[in-house]
Amino acid sequence: MKQTYDLTQGKVTPLILRFYIPMFFTNLLQQLYSIADTIIVGKGLGDNALAAVGNMSSLTFLIIGFSLGMANGFTVLTAQSYGAGDYARMRKTIASSIQLAAGIGAILTVLSVFYLRDVLVAMQTSELILADSLCYGYIIFGGLAANIAYNLCACILRALGDSRTPFFAIITSTIVNVVFNCVFIFGLHMGVEGAAIATIFSQLMSAGICLLKLRKIDIIRLSAEDFRFDGSMMLALLKNGIPMACMNSITAIGCMVVQYFVNGMGVAYTSAYSACSRYINLFMQPACTAGFTMSSFTSQNYGAGKFSRIREGLHVCLTIALISYVLLGAVMVFFPRQLASLMLTGEESISLTMQYLSICGITLCGVDFLFVFRSGVQGMGKPFIPMCSGIIEMVMRIAVIVLMVPEVGFRATAYAETVAWFGALALNFIAFQYLLSRRLRMEKRSAPVVHGVLQTAE
C-alpha cells in the first residue's frame, strides 16, 4: 500500500472515488456509532437520559467542531505543500500544527469544563436532565485531547491523500465504542457516564492508529528543526485554521439557540430534537464526505497550479451529493415513523421527529451541495468566505426559530435548518465560481503553468 496518494495525477473520477470510498465509510461508521450510542442510551436508560445526551449535542459541536475546523484549516497548507512537492515546507506545517493544536486544545478543555454548568443553565436545560448532561459533558470535554489528536492526525493523512488509515482506525474504535457502551450500561449498570467514557476510549484508539501510520511515512519524519518556532508559519496556519474553526463554532451557536427554544418546550421535544439531529448528521454523511474529498483534491491541485482539474473534481463530487440527496432524502420523507421509532419510545417524541424528518428530507439537497462548494473554497485557501457563510447560517437559523416557533411550534426547527442551508450555499456557490474562473483565466494566459505556486489565506 502506498504511504501517500498524489491527487494531481491521473484520471479524476477513479482517483476521487478511490479517495472518497474509504473516507465515506469512515464518516459513516462515526455516525453509526453515534447512532448506536443513542439507541443504547435511549433503550437502556430511557428518553430522559437520551435527552440529556442530546442536549449536549450543540455544545459539543461548538467545542469539537472548533477543533475539527482548526485541523482542517491547518492541513489545507499541508496538502498544498504536498501537491507542490515542497516537502520541507510540508513538514514545517505539520510540526507547527501540532504545537498550535496542543496549546489551543488545552485552552478549550479548561474553558469548556469551567463554564459547562453556566452554559447549560442558560440553554434552559430542564432540572430533570441537568445532572446527567453535566456528568456526560465533564467527561467528554475532559477528554477533549483525544478527539483533537485524532482529528489532526486524520486530517494530515487525508491531506497526503490517505483516506484508508482513518477508515481502519474508525472500524476499530467503533467496535470498541459499542462493546464498551454495552458493558458499561447493560453490564455494569452505569448511567450516561458509561457512554461518555466509551467515547473517550474509542477516540484514543483511533488517534493511536493514525499516529502509528504517520510515524511510518518517510517524507514526514519530523526533526527538532521542524519544531523550531516560526512566526510566519504559525500566522499562516492560524489565518487558515481559525476562520474554519470559527465557522463551525458560529454554526453551533445557532444550533444552541435552537436548542434553547426546544428545551423550553419540554423534555419530549428535547428527546425528539436529539433524534432528529442524529439522523440529519447520518444522512448528510455521503455529501459531507464528498466535501472533504473536494477539499483535499482542490488543495493538492491548487498547490500544483492545476486549476482545470478542480472543475473536473467539482462535477464528480456534486454528482455524489446529488445521488445521496435522492436516495437518503427519500428515506426521510417516506419512512419517518420507522426512523423515529428506532431511537425513541414515547409517542409524542416520535410524532415530533416525523414532522422534522419529512420537511428536511425534501430540502436535504441544500446542505449536500453546501458541503461541496464550501470545501472547494476552503481548499483554495480562502477560509474567510466559509466563515462568513457560517455567520449567515447562524443569523438565518436564529431568525427563523425566533419568528416561527410561536406560529408553527416544533416544525420551526426544520424550517430553520432549511433556510440556513440555502443561505450559506448561495454565498459559497458564488465565491467558488468566481475564484476558480479567475484562476482558470490566469492559467490560460500563462502557459505552461508554473508548477508549485502556493496560495495561502488572504
Side-chain angles (χ1 to χ4, degrees):
M1 183 184 297
K2 292 175 62 178
Q3 292 181 324
T4 58
Y5 299 87
D6 189 349
L7 301 177
T8 67
Q9 305 288 335
K11 294 183 178 180
V12 171
T13 299
L15 198 64
I16 282 181
L17 291 178
R18 187 181 70 179
F19 184 84
Y20 171 86
I21 291 172
M23 186 160 54
F24 166 68
F25 284 109
T26 301
N27 292 341
L28 180 63
L29 281 172
Q30 285 182 303
Q31 292 304 316
L32 286 178
Y33 87 55
S34 178
I35 295 289
D37 275 352
T38 303
I39 293 173
I40 292 170
V41 170
K43 299 298 183 182
L45 301 176
D47 283 1
N48 279 5
L50 175 60
V53 174
N55 185 57
M56 286 295 303
S57 295
S58 56
L59 185 54
T60 301
F61 182 52
L62 175 68
I63 304 300
I64 293 179
F66 185 93
S67 67
L68 176 59
M70 178 181 64
N72 280 327
F74 290 167
T75 54
V76 164
L77 299 186
T78 303
Q80 289 183 352
S81 298
Y82 176 70
D86 189 347
Y87 299 145
R89 186 176 189 273
M90 180 195 69
R91 287 190 290 272
K92 191 67 179 178
T93 67
I94 293 173
S96 298
S97 295
I98 293 171
Q99 293 171 320
L100 286 171
I104 294 174
I107 295 171
L108 289 176
T109 299
V110 172
L111 292 178
S112 58
V113 170
F114 187 80
Y115 288 106
L116 179 59
R117 174 180 286 274
D118 293 337
V119 174
L120 288 175
V121 171
M123 289 169 59
Q124 292 196 102
T125 302
S126 169
E127 288 293 333
L128 294 173
I129 63 174
L130 180 59
D132 278 346
S133 292
L134 284 169
C135 179
Y136 184 85
Y138 283 139
I139 296 172
I140 292 295
F141 291 142
L144 189 61
N147 183 273
I148 291 175
Y150 167 71
N151 284 333
L152 183 59
C153 290
C155 286
I156 292 171
L157 287 167
R158 289 168 184 155
L160 304 180
D162 180 4
S163 60
R164 296 182 185 181
T165 301
F167 172 52
F168 296 139
I170 290 298
I171 290 177
T172 304
S173 66
T174 297
I175 295 171
V176 170
N177 185 71
V178 172
V179 170
F180 277 29
N181 258 316
C182 291
V183 170
F184 290 156
I185 292 177
F186 295 114
L188 300 179
H189 305 290
M190 298 173 69
V192 296
E193 68 272 18
I197 293 171
T199 297
I200 299 300
F201 276 151
S202 66
Q203 289 171 345
L204 284 171
M205 183 72 68
S206 57
I209 292 171
C210 291
L211 181 59
L212 286 175
K213 177 57 185 291
L214 285 170
R215 289 173 61 89
K216 296 179 181 179
I217 300 176
D218 293 335
I219 62 172
I220 58 170
R221 293 285 174 84
L222 303 180
S223 65
E225 180 63 28
D226 294 318
F227 284 97
R228 188 182 299 276
F229 179 80
D230 185 335
S232 61
M233 176 59 70
M234 293 284 190
L235 183 59
L237 289 169
L238 290 172
K239 282 183 176 180
N240 225 56
I242 294 300
M244 290 174 66
C246 289
M247 178 197 71
N248 285 345
S249 293
I250 289 167
T251 301
I253 291 172
C255 293
M256 289 172 65
V257 173
V258 174
Q259 188 78 60
Y260 168 86
F261 280 89
V262 170
N263 288 347
M265 299 177 188
V267 175
Y269 290 83
T270 303
S271 299
Y273 188 61
S274 174
C276 293
S277 298
R278 299 290 191 190
Y279 277 123
I280 287 293
N281 288 335
L282 176 64
F283 287 162
M284 66 172 57
Q285 282 312 302
C288 179
T289 307
F292 283 126
T293 303
M294 186 67 189
S295 178
S296 296
F297 185 84
T298 300
S299 296
Q300 285 197 20
N301 282 282
Y302 197 83
K306 297 184 177 182
F307 308 115
S308 298
R309 286 174 62 85
I310 296 175
R311 178 76 71 186
E312 296 180 61
L314 172 68
H315 294 158
V316 177
C317 291
L318 282 179
T319 300
I320 294 172
L322 179 60
I323 294 171
S324 168
Y325 163 62
V326 172
L327 295 179
L328 298 180
V331 172
M332 293 172 66
V333 171
F334 293 113
F335 302 101
R337 174 167 288 277
Q338 289 83 349
L339 293 173
S341 300
L342 185 62
M343 291 190 191
L344 301 163
T345 55
E347 184 57 37
E348 183 181 10
S349 296
I350 290 174
S351 177
L352 292 167
T353 302
M354 290 172 60
Q355 295 176 24
Y356 183 104
L357 293 177
S358 297
I359 296 169
C360 286
I362 296 172
T363 60
L364 192 65
C365 60
V367 71
D368 285 351
F369 296 155
L370 169 61
F371 282 127
V372 176
F373 283 106
R374 183 171 65 194
S375 297
V377 174
Q378 291 169 346
M380 287 188 273
K382 301 293 186 285
F384 287 97
I385 295 170
M387 186 183 74
C388 291
S389 75
I391 295 173
I392 291 174
E393 275 193 77
M394 179 186 69
V395 171
M396 289 187 165
R397 188 173 278 117
I398 292 174
V400 171
I401 204 74
V402 169
L403 295 174
M404 297 193 70
V405 161
E407 302 298 326
V408 300
F410 187 75
R411 289 200 307 277
T413 58
Y415 296 144
E417 292 296 327
T418 297
V419 171
W421 292 339
F422 281 97
L425 171 61
L427 175 60
N428 283 283
F429 172 79
I430 294 170
F432 180 88
Q433 297 294 349
Y434 170 75
L435 291 170
L436 185 57
S437 296
R438 187 176 66 176
R439 285 294 172 180
L440 288 171
R441 288 194 299 269
M442 292 172 60
E443 186 179 52
K444 291 178 181 178
R445 289 198 301 265
S446 57
V449 177
V450 177
H451 182 75
V453 176
L454 294 178
Q455 176 72 26
T456 56
E458 290 180 356

